[in-house]
């Protein structure tokens, strides 16, 4: 049975956040790749979003390392 979010520990929540940021970054990268040839300006928006998600992920990784 899946655990409820409210029952997760701080460590589990940070790990989940890291995983979700990685997934979001990958998805934005895939969109950018698919749009780059025909819609370079739109692809750039997704590239910027991917970079932002990567920064968020690194912040969560740093926080995880500090706490655990």
């Amino acid at each position: 049975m899946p655990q409820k979010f409210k029952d997760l520990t701080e460590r589990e929540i940070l790990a989940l956040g890291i995983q979700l940021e990685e997934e979001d970054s990958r998805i934005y990268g895939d969109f950018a790749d698919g749009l780059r040839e025909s819609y370079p300006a739109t692809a750039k928006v997704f590239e910027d979003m991917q970079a932002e998600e990567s920064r968020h992920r690194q912040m969560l990784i740093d926080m995880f390392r500090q706490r655990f």
Side-chain angles (χ1 to χ4, degrees):
M1 176 180 242
Q3 227 176 334
K4 293 182 180 179
F5 185 80
K6 69 180 183 98
D7 296 330
L8 296 176
T9 66
E10 181 182 13
R11 183 182 189 120
E12 291 169 324
I13 291 169
L14 281 173
L16 179 60
I18 292 166
Q19 182 181 6
L20 293 173
E21 291 291 344
E22 183 175 6
E23 178 74 10
D24 288 350
S25 179
R26 184 191 59 75
I27 289 169
Y28 293 144
D30 289 348
F31 284 153
D33 289 344
L35 295 168
R36 191 169 287 110
E37 189 175 318
S38 299
Y39 304 97
T42 303
K44 174 71 169 102
V45 171
F46 281 104
E47 289 168 356
D48 292 345
M49 291 169 65
Q50 180 183 27
E52 183 70 17
E53 294 304 320
S54 292
R55 285 190 293 277
H56 291 167
R57 180 176 175 269
Q58 188 57 55
M59 289 170 49
L60 290 173
I61 289 170
D62 293 344
M63 185 183 303
F64 187 92
R65 288 181 178 152
Q66 287 175 350
R67 294 181 190 256
F68 308 105

